[in-house]
Each structure stands twice: as C-alpha cells, then as structure tokens.
Amino acid sequence: MGISKDIINRIRKSNCTTDETFFQAVEEVLDSIQPVLESDSKYSKNSIVDRLTNPDREFKFKVVWLDDNQNIQVNTGYRVQFNNALGPYKGGLRFHPSVNSGILKFLGFEQILKNSLTGLPIGGGKGGSDFDPKGKSDFEIMKFCSAFMTELHKYIGPRIDVPAGDIGVGAREIGYLFGEYKKITSSYDGILTGKPFMFGGSLMRPEATGYGCVYFTDEMLKYGGKNDFKGRICTVSGAGNVAIHTIEKLYDLGAIPVTCTDSRGTIYDSRGIDLKLLKELKLKKRVSLEEYCKDHNDAIYTKVEDYSDGGHEVWNIPCDCAFPCATQNELTQIDAKNLIENGCISVTEGANMPSTPEATKLFLENDILFAPAKAANAGGVVVSEFEMSQNASMTKWSYEKVDNMLDQNMRAICKRVHLTAEEYGVAGNYVDGANIVGFKKVADAMIAEGI
Ligand code: NDP
Ligand code: 2IT
C-alpha cells in the first residue's frame, strides 16, 4: 500500500525545515493510519492529514540575557501551537543546543496524538530554546528563564497553551519561568505544569513519566503472556527525569535496572544501578556519570567515543527489557539487532521517538513487545493534566490518589492500543494501535468543529 508521495511532498513543501525528525514522525503516523483513511472518506474530504500536519501557529523570538561575566548573550526561543481540537495546547519546553523549529515540530506533532491517546482534554504543542543549560550557574539559568518568559507570556494562558518541562527543563526552570510570568501579569495562574509542589505543582509530576512507562510495560508484558517484572534485567538509557524514575519504579516492581547513560557515556553496574548515587550526581550536583565509578569501582563506564560498532554500548548489554529514555533516534538498527540477539523481550520508549524507523521495523518483525513513545511516555502529560485540574479547582490531591490515577490511566492506554491493533488486524503492533487511536479522536473532533 504505502503512503502517497503526493501527500508527503505537500507536507514537505508546507513545512519547510532542514531537520528530518518531523517528516520521520509524520511518515510513521501516515503509514499506520492508511487503513483508517481508506475505510472512511470523511478524513480525505475534510483534508484532515494536511490540516493535522500543519501547526496552527509557530512563534520564534529572540532571548537576550546577561551572563555572570556581564556579557550579553543571545538565544532563540520557540513555541509551536500545533493543534487545539481537544483542549488547550499542551506540551513541554526543551532547552538544548540542538533545538530548532523542525525538532519542535516533530515533538509537537507527536504530542497531539499522545495527548489524544490519553483521553484527556488537551491539545498538542511544544517549545524551547537552543540555550545550553550545561555549565551555567543557577543565577544564569534564572536570568535566561526570565528573559525567555518575557516573550513567551504573550502566547500562553491556562485555557490557551500550558507548557511544561522536557530535556533541560525541570522543576527549577519551571519555578523561574512561573515567577517571571507572575511578575509580568500579576496573575497567579496554572500557566505551566511541573511546578514545585509548594506553589501549585502536583505531587508525583516529577516521577510521572518514568513510573508511567513502567506501569505501561507491566500491562504490556501481561498482554504478551510474559508475567511481570520480578527478577528481570533491564537496561535504561538517559540519566535525567525520565530515566531516573523509570529505574526507581523498576526496583519497586522487583526488576534489576543495570544501566544508565548521559551524553558522554554509559554506566553498567551488574548488581543494579545505585539510585541514590545517581540522583545525587544528576539532580543535585549535575555532573558527568563518570563520577559514578568513584563510589563503585566495579561498575563499568564506557565513553561514547570508545564504543564503535555504529551502535551504542547500552543496547549491547544483555537484558530482558530495554527502556530508551534519553533522546530521539538514540537506538539504531544495529542496536535493535544486538538487543534481539541478546534475548530482549520488550522495548519501551521513555524518550520521544528514540528508535529509528529501521530499529522499530526490526522489533515488530521479531515479535518484540514494543511500546511506542506516544503511548508509553504519556504518564508525564497525564499528571500534567491532573495538575491543571488541581490548579483550576484550587485543590491538592494526595500522592496515593495521583499514583493510582496514573497507574489506571497507563493501563487503560495500553488496553486501548492493544484492542485497536487487534481490531485493525495488526495484533501486537502497538505502533499502529497508538497512531490509530490518537488520530481518530483528534480527527473526529476537527471534523465536528468545522474548518
Ligand atoms: P533530562 O534533561 O532530565 O534528561 C535527559 C537525559 O538524556 C540526560 O541524561 C542527557 O544527558 C541525555 N541526553 C539528552 N540529549 C542527549 C543527546 N543528544 N545524546 C545523548 N544523551 C542525551 O530530560 P528528560 O528525562 O525529561 O527527557 C528525556 C526524554 O524523555 C526526551 O526525549 C523527552 O522528550 C522525553 N519525555 C520527557 C517527559 C518529561 O516529563 N520530562 C515526558 C515525556 C517524554 P546529559 O546529562 O549529559 O545532558
Ligand atoms: O513529551 C512530553 O510529553 C513532555 N515533555 C511532557 C508534556 C507535558 O505537558 O507535561
């Protein structure tokens, strides 16, 4: 069957960008939804594909700030408001030198379908900056966040667009962004999610994405007839918010997570990652993972440049379950081959689109239980929506309540995806299942709302 070249060319023409990630994300979705488009002409009559793959609007702005040496620094800020058919634009902010409008379009497009899949009333958006938080003082982070919000505040609002965190943006940055918004507007709004608990944040938001990934996988293993996590060896990439809380929940459910990675290297600790130390290094001291070996000299640290088969060290370590939780396209075809040969039974995408299309194809062909990002990592935005609800009603929910609701929501998403894959004759293919569920809901809302 395949996707029509006409559609792809049209999307490329209307979304001019040098970054390929957006087209990668779109092509996967178009491939999955072919049967839906063919079985009901209302989607083509209403030009849904063209409308869905063009953001409602994109903002690009200059961010000028003063560093600690009194030098004036200039960065670029962005917000892509992609689709609000189901609710206010909702999605994170990424601060990383690689950020450009193409990457944010990929993330914003994925976010529309992810948010739709949750069943909650939230649309899709994404933003960020090419600002590099690495090596910056706390004061410089604050100065940058203030300058960024000076522009961003014009475009957001609790019923318009509600940003959150992503790579390089955690509770510290959200706190500074919130403070600046409040100063500019004098209004105490739930304008961002992922806020510290003391001023409107939800309990469990920091843990939500990682815990959600593990709840989803637990359910997927059951559907796949593989029982639970007890005693299972797990490999995890990343050493940030998502990776740390994935590791934490894996321990809770009896698994043994043995790896973590950062942009410089991989730690392999066969007895299980020392979670307390990992949090200390990455959340408090913000230093390289190499430091881990100072406390554990039997753990193995491999620098990125010292591994050279075209893949990544972390995916060549034998495991039962793999969790890529760092960044896009970090798991290649060679990595997928290594995982399969080493006996891996499941792969859960904690990061957004961490597997290349070739790797995904190999997993599906080899009956690996594969949980795609837009389903598996939806726990973060689910609890973000809970935070919006709490802010709107001026209430605070208990840790147990949020955790139970997160658990139920992730298992419900898994069921929806599983049943949809069966309904469309691709049982076990969660990529198609997730894309179809997410697409149908947002597309039907767009049709009902008119042009
Ligand atoms: P963090 O900034 O907390 O951590 C990111 C981790 O990934 C760090 O260990 C970082 O290494 C590593 N990393 C980042 N970029 C690269 C790169 N180009 N190459 C190698 N390693 C890299 O981010 P999060 O944990 O929040 O996000 C991780 C992933 O999860 C992203 O794909 C994000 O979009 C996705 N996600 C996040 C959600 C959230 O709630 N935070 C929700 C859903 C998805 P170093 O320490 O060296 O910088
Ligand atoms: O990719 C994502 O889902 C996020 N970065 C979190 C989005 C959110 O609004 O909580």
Side-chain angles (χ1 to χ4, degrees), residues 110-187:
E110 290 283 285
Q111 198 83 46
I112 306 169
L113 299 172
K114 181 192 306 187
N115 294 0
S116 165
L117 196 49
T118 65
L120 299 169
I122 38 181
K126 203 82 186 190
S129 173
D130 59 358
F131 171 74
D132 187 357
K134 273 212 186 80
K136 303 291 189 296
S137 71
D138 205 46
F139 197 69
E140 287 175 322
I141 298 285
M142 186 178 77
K143 297 287 269 188
F144 176 80
C145 289
S146 301
F148 184 84
M149 187 51 89
T150 309
E151 280 300 313
L152 185 72
H153 88 276
K154 298 170 189 166
Y155 315 121
I156 58 179
R159 291 296 159 101
I160 300 172
D161 182 355
V162 184
D166 194 82
I167 290 178
V169 178
R172 174 182 60 164
E173 291 73 21
I174 295 287
Y176 292 145
L177 291 164
F178 179 79
E180 186 64 24
Y181 179 88
K182 196 162 55 69
K183 198 168 91 188
I184 297 168
T185 62
S186 301
S187 184

Side-chain angles (χ1 to χ4, degrees), residues 90-399:
K90 181 84 196 88
L93 296 170
R94 178 177 289 193
F95 291 170
H96 193 271
S98 65
V99 163
N100 58 43
S101 66
I103 287 185
L104 295 176
K105 271 189 188 172
F106 129 60
L107 291 163
F109 177 72
E110 290 283 285
Q111 198 83 46
I112 306 169
L113 299 172
K114 181 192 306 187
N115 294 0
S116 165
L117 196 49
T118 65
L120 299 169
I122 38 181
K126 203 82 186 190
S129 173
D130 59 358
F131 171 74
D132 187 357
K134 273 212 186 80
K136 303 291 189 296
S137 71
D138 205 46
F139 197 69
E140 287 175 322
I141 298 285
M142 186 178 77
K143 297 287 269 188
F144 176 80
C145 289
S146 301
F148 184 84
M149 187 51 89
T150 309
E151 280 300 313
L152 185 72
H153 88 276
K154 298 170 189 166
Y155 315 121
I156 58 179
R159 291 296 159 101
I160 300 172
D161 182 355
V162 184
D166 194 82
I167 290 178
V169 178
R172 174 182 60 164
E173 291 73 21
I174 295 287
Y176 292 145
L177 291 164
F178 179 79
E180 186 64 24
Y181 179 88
K182 196 162 55 69
K183 198 168 91 188
I184 297 168
T185 62
S186 301
S187 184
Y188 207 100
D189 291 327
I191 184 61
L192 296 146
T193 59
K195 298 181 290 297
F197 179 65
M198 60 191 150
F199 49 87
S202 176
L203 288 173
M204 277 284 299
R205 177 62 187 87
E207 295 89 346
T209 312
Y211 282 20
C213 275
V214 179
Y215 295 147
F216 187 99
T217 311
D218 190 50
E219 195 68 7
M220 177 174 75
L221 289 175
K222 286 178 193 154
Y223 278 121
K226 303 283 189 197
N227 295 325
D228 54 24
F229 271 116
K230 282 199 191 68
R232 293 203 187 276
I233 303 295
C234 298
T235 49
V236 180
S237 67
N241 173 278
V242 180
I244 285 173
H245 297 107
T246 295
I247 290 172
E248 187 160 84
K249 186 48 71 179
L250 284 171
Y251 274 129
D252 282 354
L253 298 192
I256 307 158
V258 293
T259 65
C260 55
T261 72
D262 64 14
S263 49
R264 284 167 276 198
T266 298
I267 287 288
Y268 173 41
D269 190 339
S270 60
R271 298 152 314 164
I273 290 292
D274 179 340
L275 183 59
K276 193 160 166 259
L277 177 62
L278 176 61
K279 284 186 176 179
E280 174 82 17
L281 297 177
K282 284 296 179 183
L283 301 181
K284 288 207 181 112
K285 295 186 179 161
R286 300 177 192 269
V287 293
S288 162
L289 275 180
E290 197 166 4
E291 303 278 310
Y292 186 97
C293 295
K294 284 189 184 159
D295 286 54
H296 294 290
N297 54 17
D298 44 351
I300 301 166
Y301 178 72
T302 311
K303 285 187 186 161
V304 170
E305 58 269 27
D306 292 346
Y307 187 77
S308 62
D309 83 338
H312 302 84
E313 163 76 3
V314 64
W315 310 128
N316 202 11
I317 292 166
C319 69
D320 299 305
C321 306
F323 291 83
C325 296
T327 194
Q328 62 271 10
N329 290 328
E330 56 159 312
L331 195 163
T332 62
Q333 190 173 21
I334 292 173
D335 295 323
K337 203 163 151 276
N338 288 339
L339 281 165
I340 294 164
E341 279 173 7
N342 285 331
C344 171
I345 58 165
S346 77
V347 176
T348 304
E349 295 192 319
N352 282 308
M353 206 170 73
S355 313
T356 63
E358 298 76 22
T360 303
K361 189 163 175 275
L362 268 188
F363 290 138
L364 295 175
E365 283 169 359
N366 284 275
D367 294 328
I368 302 296
L369 298 171
F370 180 73
K374 58 175 76 72
N377 74 26
V381 80
V382 163
V383 174
S384 275
E385 198 275 346
F386 297 167
E387 185 170 327
M388 289 165 73
S389 295
Q390 291 170 75
N391 291 166
S393 57
M394 302 285 275
T395 51
K396 282 196 181 284
W397 302 351
S398 71
Y399 186 93

